[in-house]
Amino acid sequence: MSLKSGEMSAQRRATVVSTSVAALLTFVKLFVGIASGSVAVLASAIDSTLDMGVSIFNFFAIKKAEEHPDEHFNYGKGKIQAIAGVIEGTIITLSGLFIIYEAISKIIHKHPTQYLGVSLGVMLFSIVVTWLLVRYLLRIAKETDNIVIKADALHYQTDLLSNGAVVAALAIVYLTGWDWIDALFGLGIGIYIIYSAYEIIEEGVMILLDRSLPGEMVSKIGEIIANHPKVNGYHWLKTRTDGTRNYVEFHLVLTPEMTLEEAHHIAEEIECKIAALEPNKGWVITPHFDPYDDEHINEIFFDGKVTQQCAVGGEAPAN
């Protein structure tokens, strides 16, 4: 679906909402975290600060990814979202390490926790606001299947868990006076944040490495091609995604006497059925027409083993 001039996409709108929420929570948590001396609250404040920075970065990443291909970027800039995902995961990991450092420091130096009542109120407020944001981001992620929004939703889901842990830690400290509990929970939050970042980084790296579409999707694409009554076979099916668009290439084996117009019509029928598998995504489908199965030739070209000019008629020399 194309956007009108000046119109903001659902993905970009989601990053604006998450940035605004993160800014609000950052201000409140930082103020209370510094005043109370709670490592758990301070850890949550640092996480919210990073959330805000990442959401701002995501806004511009999605804006760039939505630009149409041009003479310099023939396939568009969709992979910038994967780069954003890797950067976001790395930042989350660093924030987790800093939280672990602060927790260990508090255990060693035995810093006291103050203003427990106010801290508890702030964290409960944060949980409610974050829960509403997660519901919104999950809806947008489902509608768009956008890697950046999915990463944002996952991040804020981990925030919900970490915020819950902070509340539990503050409640225990309030009831028992054991300040080391606050540091212990902060340590656990830091470890969990690092763990949660792995999935975000992995997905971004896999997109950058051109991993194929999920096996189930590839099987469905193969079935669509093979089940067309006028297709004699297919080979060299390749798939990948940049997070916004799916890319599919394949070679169709057709009857040699078939006209180009008929072959084109067959390809269009197949392309429409493939695109219907995931209508919310953009698709770039590139068929190639063959009068016979020449998969071995494709493999020779791919491996860079052709050492002399191809013979007349398109037949590559045997290796």
Side-chain angles (χ1 to χ4, degrees), residues 272-313:
C272 286
K273 289 182 178 179
I274 291 175
L277 293 174
E278 204 169 11
N280 290 333
K281 277 281 186 75
W283 289 81
V284 178
I285 304 172
T286 309
H288 176 85
F289 305 128
D290 287 332
Y292 52 83
D293 192 329
D294 63 349
E295 185 173 5
H296 67 286
I297 298 176
N298 305 136
E299 292 175 352
I300 290 173
F301 282 126
F302 185 78
D303 292 335
K305 294 180 179 179
V306 177
T307 57
Q308 58 185 9
Q309 185 178 3
C310 291
V312 177

Side-chain angles (χ1 to χ4, degrees), residues 23-83:
L24 172 64
L25 295 179
T26 295
F27 175 77
V28 176
K29 289 178 184 177
L30 269 179
F31 180 78
V32 175
I34 294 172
S36 67
S38 168
V39 172
V41 175
L42 185 60
S44 187
I46 292 169
D47 196 32
S48 293
T49 304
L50 293 170
D51 290 344
M52 181 174 62
V54 167
S55 294
I56 292 172
F57 178 76
N58 288 345
F59 175 86
F60 290 103
I62 291 174
K63 187 175 184 294
K64 279 292 180 184
E66 290 174 349
E67 293 180 0
H68 287 287
D70 55 36
E71 60 178 316
H72 299 295
F73 297 92
N74 300 158
Y75 292 95
K77 301 172 185 174
K79 283 190 177 181
I80 196 171
Q81 295 175 105
I83 297 173

Side-chain angles (χ1 to χ4, degrees), residues 103-313:
I104 293 174
S105 177
K106 180 164 186 175
I107 291 173
I108 294 173
H109 299 292
K110 297 181 174 60
H111 298 306
T113 303
Q114 300 173 326
Y115 305 111
L116 287 171
V118 176
S119 299
L120 274 168
V122 166
M123 294 312 301
L124 288 172
F125 169 75
S126 176
I127 287 175
V128 173
V129 173
T130 304
W131 183 82
L132 293 173
L133 176 61
V134 166
R135 303 310 305 169
Y136 171 70
L137 290 176
L138 286 174
R139 178 171 64 81
I140 300 299
K142 184 177 181 180
E143 291 175 359
T144 63
D145 195 31
N146 184 282
I147 180 177
V148 172
I149 303 303
K150 286 193 290 185
D152 235 13
L154 176 62
H155 190 187
Y156 282 105
Q157 281 178 304
T158 63
D159 283 356
L160 269 181
L161 295 175
S162 64
N163 288 340
V166 172
V167 169
L170 293 174
I172 293 173
V173 173
Y174 182 80
L175 295 173
T176 65
W178 298 339
D179 280 307
W180 60 268
I181 291 291
D182 174 62
L184 184 64
F185 270 75
L187 184 64
I189 292 169
I191 294 172
Y192 183 78
I193 285 174
I194 293 172
Y195 173 78
S196 69
Y198 173 77
E199 184 177 344
I200 300 173
I201 295 173
E202 181 186 34
E203 184 173 3
V205 169
M206 289 300 102
I207 289 178
L208 293 173
L209 292 177
D210 287 336
R211 180 183 60 186
S212 65
L213 297 176
E216 183 180 356
M217 177 71 74
V218 175
S219 296
K220 288 180 180 179
I221 292 173
E223 289 175 7
I224 289 173
I225 299 172
N227 290 338
H228 194 287
K230 294 186 178 180
V231 172
N232 297 329
Y234 75 93
H235 56 269
W236 210 245
L237 172 60
K238 296 185 290 182
T239 66
R240 66 180 178 91
T241 184
D242 65 6
T244 300
R245 301 176 186 87
N246 293 334
Y247 293 81
V248 181
E249 301 175 36
F250 53 87
H251 287 214
L252 289 175
V253 181
L254 304 172
T255 304
E257 295 77 21
M258 184 178 292
T259 65
L260 179 59
E261 182 179 4
E262 188 175 2
H264 178 73
H265 181 67
I266 291 170
E268 281 190 331
E269 291 178 344
I270 293 173
E271 289 170 26
C272 286
K273 289 182 178 179
I274 291 175
L277 293 174
E278 204 169 11
N280 290 333
K281 277 281 186 75
W283 289 81
V284 178
I285 304 172
T286 309
H288 176 85
F289 305 128
D290 287 332
Y292 52 83
D293 192 329
D294 63 349
E295 185 173 5
H296 67 286
I297 298 176
N298 305 136
E299 292 175 352
I300 290 173
F301 282 126
F302 185 78
D303 292 335
K305 294 180 179 179
V306 177
T307 57
Q308 58 185 9
Q309 185 178 3
C310 291
V312 177

